[in-house]
Each structure stands twice: as structure tokens, then as C-alpha cells.
Amino acid sequence: MDTNTILVSSTLCTSFLIFQLLFHFVSSWFSAKVSPGFNNLSFEKKIEWNSRVVSTCHSLLVGILGLYIFFFDEAVIADPLWGQSSLATMNIATASGYLISDLLILILYWKVIGDKCYIIHHCTALYAYFFVMKDGVLVYVANFRLLAELSSPFVNQRWFFETLKYSKFSKANVINGILMTVVFFVVRIVAIPPLYGFMLAVYGTEPYRRLGCLLQYSWIFTCIVLDVMNVMWMIKISKGCIKVISLMRQEKANNRLQNGKVD
């Protein structure tokens, strides 16, 4: 086996095992220590809780590494289509290990946390990352896509607050909600036009033709599938945000009425 194959396979397997350990053992122990309310949750809630803890750990790891690669990894910045970097490849393999781990957990606990959208998302991403890891192409583009994971910790934190019965109007919940909406919009929606602009810019160039038809179509297809899902999730988040803002305004208006301060 060549060096790249060894790096990819060892990182992917290590990632899979670590995320499995986090889900089955570490998360429950750690959560019980930092959040007394964890022990009072039902079995079903604990399963989803642990799943989201693992998701947050993965998102922070690959998201932060992805940011570093995006700004400072000169090898892939200089050649976004064919440039190679051990760190960038490890980041993609780490994400792939997590996706396989999470797919297994989704299947094992389908009645509790099963979601067809996640299955589609994970399988689409794994399909794309397979070519990146196997052929060493589009490494920079794949890491750019991983920046979307920076929104996941805020999405998960919203679920934690809701599960622990935090008020929707609590300061922590409101701040997290604002950050969730802004970060999700920036890394998943604002990032869409530059990506497709880059596709158009390289279309027909010699490096693009070297990719071959399968990689070219796979690149476009997977990006469209993932971005349609991102837009759908953004719409859902926006509706939730608007609903909370409306409820907050209604509550303020009710408070003014009770205090006799209505004009």
C-alpha cells in the first residue's frame, strides 16, 4: 500500500473507533458530570443526547481544521483541484470515519433517532469523500465543504437547551439561537455562490478535464444534493427564529398591558 492509502485507512478506522467510544461510553459519563439533568432523561433522549455530543465533537474538530486548511494550507490553496495535503486528507478521512460511525448508530437506533434526511446526507458526503481519498483530488474543495460543520454545535446546543427545559426566551437560548442562525447562514448558504462560481471558473480548463466525466458529474451532483438540503434546513431554522421573535414580542406586549404602560 502507498503512503496515502495507509494514511487514509488508518485515520478513517481510528476516527470510527473513537467516535463509537465517545457515543457508547464517554458521552454518558461526561454528560452526567457536567449536566445533572442528563440522568433524569429517558433512554430515548439519552441516545439522541449522546449522538449530538459526538456530532459536536466531530464538528469542532473537522470545522476548525477545515478553517486552518482553507486559509493556510498552501499546497491545496495553490491547486484546488489537484493539490494534496496530508492534513487535509486526514481531515476528510476523520469526517468519513464519523459519518460511517453515525450511520451505524442511526441504523442501530432507527426507531429513536432514525432520519432519512441524515441517511441521504451521510451517504452523499461519503460518496464524494471516497473519490477525494482514493484519487487525491478536490481535497481543497472537500475541506471547504467541511466548513459547514461549524454550524452543528449551535444546532445541537439548541436541542440540549430544549431537552433540559430551558425557556425559549432565556438569555443563553436566545444568544445561541442568534449564533446558530447567523453561522448556519454564513457557512452553508453564503458559501454556495462562491463554490458554484469556482466550478464555472475552472470548467473546461485542463485540470478540470483531467478529472474525467465521473468525477466531474459526481462533484456537481453531490454539491447540489447537499446544498438543497442546506437550503431546506435554513428555511426551517428561519421559520423557528421568526416564531420565537414573534412570541418574544407578544410576551413584551402582554407585560406592558399588565403594567399599564400601553400608549
Side-chain angles (χ1 to χ4, degrees):
M1 287 193 295
D2 59 71
T3 305
N4 184 68
T5 303
I6 295 172
L7 176 67
V8 167
S9 57
S10 59
T11 303
L12 191 151
C13 291
T14 302
S15 170
F16 173 83
L17 290 173
I18 288 175
F19 288 122
Q20 282 290 305
L21 285 171
L22 282 174
F23 175 81
H24 290 288
F25 302 105
V26 179
S27 175
S28 294
W29 172 82
F30 178 76
S31 298
K33 294 284 186 183
V34 300
S35 178
F38 175 78
N39 289 326
N40 298 324
L41 298 178
S42 65
F43 170 78
E44 290 77 11
K45 288 290 184 182
K46 286 181 179 178
I47 292 297
E48 184 162 3
W49 180 291
N50 291 335
S51 174
R52 288 180 179 272
V53 167
V54 176
S55 168
T56 297
C57 292
H58 159 260
S59 299
L60 290 172
L61 176 60
V62 301
I64 292 170
L65 276 176
L67 271 179
Y68 174 82
I69 293 161
F70 179 73
F71 287 112
F72 302 112
D73 198 325
E74 295 180 2
V76 290
I77 292 173
D79 186 355
L81 295 188
W82 288 93
Q84 296 189 23
S85 158
S86 296
L87 180 62
T89 302
M90 285 179 64
N91 203 32
I92 295 161
T94 299
S96 299
Y98 164 76
L99 290 172
I100 296 171
S101 172
D102 200 49
L103 273 175
L104 177 61
I105 291 167
L106 283 169
I107 294 168
L108 288 175
Y109 299 100
W110 183 258
K111 291 184 178 180
V112 180
I113 56 174
D115 190 316
K116 292 178 182 177
C117 284
Y118 287 143
I119 297 292
I120 294 170
H121 173 272
H122 288 12
C123 289
T124 302
L126 281 170
Y127 174 76
Y129 293 156
F130 167 76
F131 290 109
V132 176
M133 293 184 290
K134 181 175 76 74
D135 300 324
V137 296
L138 300 172
V139 175
Y140 185 72
V141 175
N143 271 280
F144 178 76
R145 300 269 353 173
L146 281 178
L147 296 182
E149 292 300 323
L150 291 169
S151 64
S152 295
F154 301 103
V155 176
N156 291 331
Q157 190 59 49
R158 178 182 176 275
W159 184 89
F160 292 139
F161 282 145
E162 183 179 321
T163 301
L164 293 174
K165 308 300 182 183
Y166 275 61
S167 168
K168 287 185 178 181
F169 310 129
S170 66
K171 188 175 181 180
N173 220 336
V174 170
I175 291 173
N176 180 74
I178 293 170
L179 289 172
M180 177 185 71
T181 306
V182 171
V183 175
F184 195 102
F185 179 71
V186 170
V187 300
R188 293 182 184 258
I189 305 302
V190 173
I192 292 176
L195 176 64
Y196 291 96
F198 173 72
M199 282 185 183
L200 289 173
V202 300
Y203 179 79
T205 62
E206 191 273 333
Y208 180 82
R209 290 197 298 270
R210 281 169 54 204
L211 292 174
C213 289
L214 178 60
L215 277 171
Q216 292 167 10
Y217 292 137
S218 295
W219 180 13
I220 296 169
F221 167 74
T222 54
C223 284
I224 289 173
V225 172
L226 293 173
D227 288 329
V228 166
M229 297 182 78
N230 285 333
V231 170
M232 289 169 58
W233 286 330
M234 185 73 244
I235 292 172
K236 186 176 180 180
I237 288 173
S238 299
K239 287 181 178 178
C241 204
I242 292 170
K243 183 178 179 181
V244 170
I245 291 171
S246 299
L247 290 171
M248 289 177 68
R249 287 178 176 173
Q250 186 178 345
E251 186 169 302
K252 285 183 179 179
N254 290 337
N255 288 339
R256 290 196 190 100
L257 281 170
Q258 290 175 2
N259 294 328
K261 294 182 179 180
V262 176
D263 295 335

